[in-house]
Amino acid sequence: MKTSEITFGRVIAVCGKPKKMQKINRKLSSYAQNGIVKIQDVTSMYKNAPSSGELAQAAQRGELVDIYITGDDVRKVKEKQQGWNNIREILRNIQDSFNVNQMFISEAVEKILSK
């Protein structure tokens, strides 16, 4: 899969069964090593949250919840800019979320890396 270098920034929350999430993270590992994507497991933050949200319900079912920070937003996290200092602040910047259980791995990776 060819993907152009990411220059924009987004924060995406993704939930799914552990094996599927591990496969997605393996596909994105080269992007993470190059600083293009930052992957953060936030399952524990949603496990005890009120169960009205999709991410909380997924965590309570035993699924994993990861956030993917891409592009310019990775720089904001590294520089600890205002609103990007800690995980709670970063979670306020989530722009999209989805469940990967009914998706192909390649489809999920493309959605994470898309503009």
Side-chain angles (χ1 to χ4, degrees):
M1 172 174 72
K2 291 186 179 181
T3 306
S4 60
E5 187 172 319
I6 300 171
T7 56
F8 58 93
R10 288 182 11 167
V11 180
I12 304 147
V14 179
C15 59
K17 294 181 181 173
K19 283 187 179 183
K20 195 154 215 180
M21 295 297 289
Q22 289 169 357
K23 289 178 182 178
I24 290 168
N25 289 344
R26 263 196 304 269
K27 291 275 188 188
L28 292 170
S29 66
S30 64
Y31 294 97
Q33 290 171 353
N34 291 329
I36 297 170
V37 174
K38 181 169 175 48
I39 303 168
Q40 181 73 44
D41 182 348
V42 293
T43 306
S44 62
M45 297 191 77
Y46 285 99
K47 215 168 214 160
N48 297 316
S51 62
S52 60
E54 177 186 358
L55 300 175
Q57 289 176 1
Q60 292 163 9
R61 286 191 305 264
E63 295 180 3
L64 295 180
V65 180
D66 286 350
I67 58 167
Y68 298 90
I69 306 162
T70 64
D72 287 341
D73 288 349
V74 173
R75 181 182 49 79
K76 292 175 187 175
V77 172
K78 286 181 181 177
E79 294 174 358
K80 296 191 180 281
Q81 290 184 10
Q82 186 174 350
W84 299 88
N85 286 318
N86 58 54
I87 195 65
R88 293 204 184 277
E89 290 180 358
I90 294 167
L91 291 175
R92 290 186 197 125
N93 292 296
I94 292 175
Q95 296 166 318
D96 193 11
S97 67
F98 59 93
N99 188 307
V100 296
N101 290 334
Q102 302 301 318
M103 299 174 83
F104 291 112
I105 302 284
S106 59
E107 184 182 5
V109 169
E110 177 114 2
K111 191 167 182 174
I112 291 166
L113 296 176
S114 70
K115 295 181 181 179

